[in-house]
Amino acid sequence: MNEPECANCVRLMKVVAALEKRVQDLEDRLGRNARNSSLPPSANPPGAPKPVVKKPTGRKPGGQPGHPFHSQYRFPPEQVKTTIQHIPDCCEKCACVFSKSHEGKDLEPRCHQMVELPPIVVEVTEYQAHGRRCPDCQHLTWGTIPSEVRRHRIGSRLGAVVSYLSEVPHVSKRGIEELLEGVFGVPISLGAVSKLEKEMSEALNTPHAEVLEAVRQAKSKNVDETGWKIHKAKAWMWSMASNTHAAFTIHFKRDQKALKSLIGDRIEGVYGSDRWWAYTILPVSQRQLCWAHLKRDFQKIVDRAGDGAWVGWKGLRYVALIFEWWHYYKAGKCSRKKLKTGVYSIQRRMRRLLEAGIECGEQKTARFCTNVLKFEAALWTFLDKKAVEPTNNHIERIIRSAVLWRKIGFGCHSLNGCRFVERILTVIKTLRLQSRNVLDYLHQALLAHRQALPTPSIA
């Protein structure tokens, strides 16, 4: 017969249970790495396994036999400034001297192009206002420099370069100041750099709105968010991208209100995303959950090594089969019908695994299985929608630039700075997706803004 426990024993058992849970949570946090969480590889703790472990093939480094040949880019004739011809005088075998009769019978010449920068000399235009004194009344009259000329000291193309340097290589304002003086020979102040960024932000207001609307109407797009800072306050950079457009917005929150400011009032098309709770406002029929995130979640279950570890092992095997079928389809080795047929059995096994995982006895694993089952239909949208990918890699590659900017520049000090960041990121990433020249567009946009003309369309 069990004796009743004393009050102190009950209290101590509760304390022990709470401490065991705390230790488990701390061990889980210590075990987080790029393979089992959303941590980037650069944030891996010491001793963490590498995210991608490749087995040595034993082959020599470099191009392998049979790989596609990639020649150097050859500039078109209109870009060639100088042509120097090397014509043989005689035959290298019998020393026969070539006569004029051989001219015009040459084969297509072998070409080697060398690219060089000329000395960079900026064009400086000086506007002079002269004064004339009247010989009758002796009054001094000065010429007038137009106000639209006096308003700017930096031309629109050089101003576009300043904004380009802010986003593409993420040069700081002080770095831009040094670069303009050291490379272009243009002394400029930090305040002038900030002023040019503000002017470019105003010029890109309409293109940013155009791109945002274009992405909202796209049939398929991916959504993601990353941390940001606004004058030491925590904020979030939200991004949404289709195959041809990418839009960015900065918000103080990581909630559904912030998501609505990005996607708008109407939910159109299919959204690829992770399982962050804010995305639950999207209908399950219009979502595609990221299988790469699920792979990390299953790996996390395995690393926890609890009663639910078997769920992680089986989940990883099913994920590998899904990706195997998907790469097979993308390589053109099977039809979409065969893809759906091949994945059908994996769908059933995945459902049975998640249902069994709820009863595995490990609380965190059971909660994970319950959550995934709630959005099960969103796992398989890519099978029915041709433009939908099973992962969120597209937007994660695009938003990576914002992550690097945050790490280098530590965010923004003002809301005006945030507007510049989200607009320049939106325009440059969209132009890249459309294979258009970034610098030319920024120049035309800034020039149109200064002349109070409509900004060139980007959507």
Side-chain angles (χ1 to χ4, degrees), residues 278-395:
Y279 298 115
T280 55
I281 64 173
L282 301 171
V284 175
S285 60
Q286 292 179 257
R287 290 186 67 183
Q288 170 61 57
L289 294 183
C290 177
W291 278 89
H293 282 77
L294 282 176
K295 180 181 179 181
R296 293 198 290 265
D297 291 333
F298 283 124
Q299 184 64 53
K300 186 177 182 179
I301 294 173
V302 171
D303 294 343
R304 222 170 16 234
D307 294 336
W310 61 273
V311 176
W313 284 116
K314 283 192 174 182
L316 287 175
R317 187 162 71 248
Y318 295 158
V319 170
L321 290 173
I322 292 292
F323 282 134
E324 186 177 336
W325 271 105
W326 179 252
H327 295 316
Y328 196 63
Y329 166 73
K330 293 294 285 185
K333 297 180 180 179
C334 75
S335 63
R336 177 163 285 273
K337 182 179 180 181
K338 189 175 181 179
L339 169 68
K340 295 175 70 173
T341 303
V343 173
Y344 178 68
S345 62
I346 306 174
Q347 284 183 263
R348 292 184 299 168
R349 282 183 283 171
M350 178 66 78
R351 181 176 180 81
R352 289 198 296 266
L353 172 66
L354 295 173
E355 291 173 342
I358 297 176
E359 308 296 334
C360 71
E362 207 272 310
Q363 185 179 6
K364 290 186 177 180
T365 301
R367 188 163 58 243
F368 163 77
C369 293
T370 302
N371 181 271
V372 175
L373 273 175
K374 195 183 304 181
F375 305 100
E376 182 190 12
L379 294 174
W380 314 104
T381 309
F382 73 96
L383 294 175
D384 299 315
K385 307 289 185 180
K386 290 186 178 181
V388 178
E389 296 276 335
T391 69
N392 215 29
N393 292 346
H394 177 60
I395 189 63

Side-chain angles (χ1 to χ4, degrees), residues 77-123:
E78 58 269 18
Q79 287 189 259
V80 178
K81 183 180 179 180
T82 305
T83 301
I84 300 176
Q85 297 181 341
H86 296 273
I87 303 174
D89 296 324
C90 61
C91 176
E92 62 181 2
K93 182 177 181 180
C94 66
C96 173
V97 178
F98 296 132
S99 62
K100 290 186 177 182
S101 60
H102 292 91
E103 294 181 4
K105 299 179 181 179
D106 292 343
L107 301 175
E108 182 69 23
R110 299 173 179 175
C111 298
H112 172 76
Q113 295 180 332
M114 184 175 67
V115 185
E116 178 61 292
L117 276 176
I120 299 178
V121 180
V122 294
E123 294 182 358

Side-chain angles (χ1 to χ4, degrees), residues 119-137:
I120 299 178
V121 180
V122 294
E123 294 182 358
V124 180
T125 302
E126 183 175 273
Y127 296 85
Q128 297 181 346
H130 291 271
R132 292 288 185 267
R133 190 177 297 277
C134 178
D136 295 334
C137 66

Side-chain angles (χ1 to χ4, degrees), residues 47-93:
K50 294 182 179 180
V52 178
V53 180
K54 294 184 178 181
K55 295 180 180 179
T57 61
R59 295 178 294 186
K60 293 182 179 180
Q64 302 300 317
H67 79 286
F69 176 73
H70 298 284
S71 60
Q72 292 183 350
Y73 176 76
R74 184 176 178 183
F75 291 89
E78 58 269 18
Q79 287 189 259
V80 178
K81 183 180 179 180
T82 305
T83 301
I84 300 176
Q85 297 181 341
H86 296 273
I87 303 174
D89 296 324
C90 61
C91 176
E92 62 181 2
K93 182 177 181 180

Side-chain angles (χ1 to χ4, degrees), residues 11 31 34 44 106 147-148 157 168 180 194 212 249 267 364 385-386 412 442-443:
R11 182 180 62 83
N44 268 348
D106 292 343
S147 59
E148 59 270 17
R157 184 172 293 278
V168 178
L180 289 184
S194 297
L212 188 57
T249 61
I267 299 176
K364 290 186 177 180
K385 307 289 185 180
K386 290 186 178 181
C412 302
L442 294 178
H443 167 229

Side-chain angles (χ1 to χ4, degrees), residues 97-200:
V97 178
F98 296 132
S99 62
K100 290 186 177 182
S101 60
H102 292 91
E103 294 181 4
K105 299 179 181 179
D106 292 343
L107 301 175
E108 182 69 23
R110 299 173 179 175
C111 298
H112 172 76
Q113 295 180 332
M114 184 175 67
V115 185
E116 178 61 292
L117 276 176
I120 299 178
V121 180
V122 294
E123 294 182 358
V124 180
T125 302
E126 183 175 273
Y127 296 85
Q128 297 181 346
H130 291 271
R132 292 288 185 267
R133 190 177 297 277
C134 178
D136 295 334
C137 66
Q138 300 299 310
H139 177 74
L140 184 61
T141 302
W142 288 94
T144 303
I145 299 176
S147 59
E148 59 270 17
V149 172
R150 297 181 60 193
R151 194 177 295 124
H152 308 288
R153 184 174 179 270
I154 302 296
S156 54
R157 184 172 293 278
L158 186 55
V161 170
V162 170
S163 299
Y164 183 85
L165 292 173
S166 296
E167 195 283 326
V168 178
H170 308 302
V171 181
S172 66
K173 290 180 175 57
R174 193 170 297 279
I176 292 174
E177 177 192 31
E178 295 177 2
L179 192 147
L180 289 184
E181 183 170 3
V183 177
F184 297 97
V186 180
I188 190 173
S189 65
L190 293 176
V193 175
S194 297
K195 184 179 178 181
L196 284 168
E197 290 182 352
K198 182 181 179 181
E199 190 180 12
M200 180 60 76

